[in-house]
Amino acid sequence: MLKYFYVEQKARKAFTAKEGRPVASFSPECISFTYGDLFPAMRYPDGKPYRGQVYLLAEIREAISLFGWPQEWNALGPERYTRGSGLADPPQIF
């Protein structure tokens, strides 16, 4: 687990160097999540209850409570993290 800590720290440092903002700085209704990477989460029809789902902040917390942190049980598979996306209203193309 120590290895993951260092990878997370490296990613956080790169994120803040690019002036990234933590999730808490956004309005909760402007953020969506998938449990696992977006593409496998939305494409694999294997019957897992989190497939095909898009979660709001409170909902992803509930999913993590139910299923655990994916990197803890699937360190090398497509569910090894949750994915968040920020949404703008109206949508903006940049």
Side-chain angles (χ1 to χ4, degrees):
M1 213 47 165
L2 190 57
K3 176 175 83 172
Y4 295 114
F5 174 78
Y6 289 112
V7 171
E8 292 292 330
Q9 292 297 78
K10 183 177 179 181
R12 179 175 292 277
K13 187 175 179 180
F15 174 74
T16 55
K18 292 184 175 192
E19 299 182 14
R21 298 185 308 170
V23 169
S25 69
F26 291 92
S27 178
E29 64 271 6
C30 293
I31 307 169
S32 68
F33 297 88
T34 57
Y35 187 86
D37 185 39
L38 176 65
F39 294 102
M42 299 305 280
R43 292 191 313 186
Y44 290 156
D46 59 8
K48 292 181 180 176
Y50 49 82
R51 296 280 194 228
Q53 303 293 319
V54 174
Y55 298 95
L56 297 177
L57 183 58
E59 295 170 325
I60 194 64
R61 288 177 175 153
E62 184 178 333
I64 292 167
S65 176
L66 286 171
F67 307 119
W69 287 101
Q71 65 268 34
E72 291 179 358
W73 60 266
N74 194 16
L76 300 176
E79 291 111 337
R80 67 182 169 271
Y81 53 85
T82 59
R83 179 182 174 134
S85 299
L87 305 172
D89 189 22
Q92 298 178 14
I93 297 175
F94 45 93

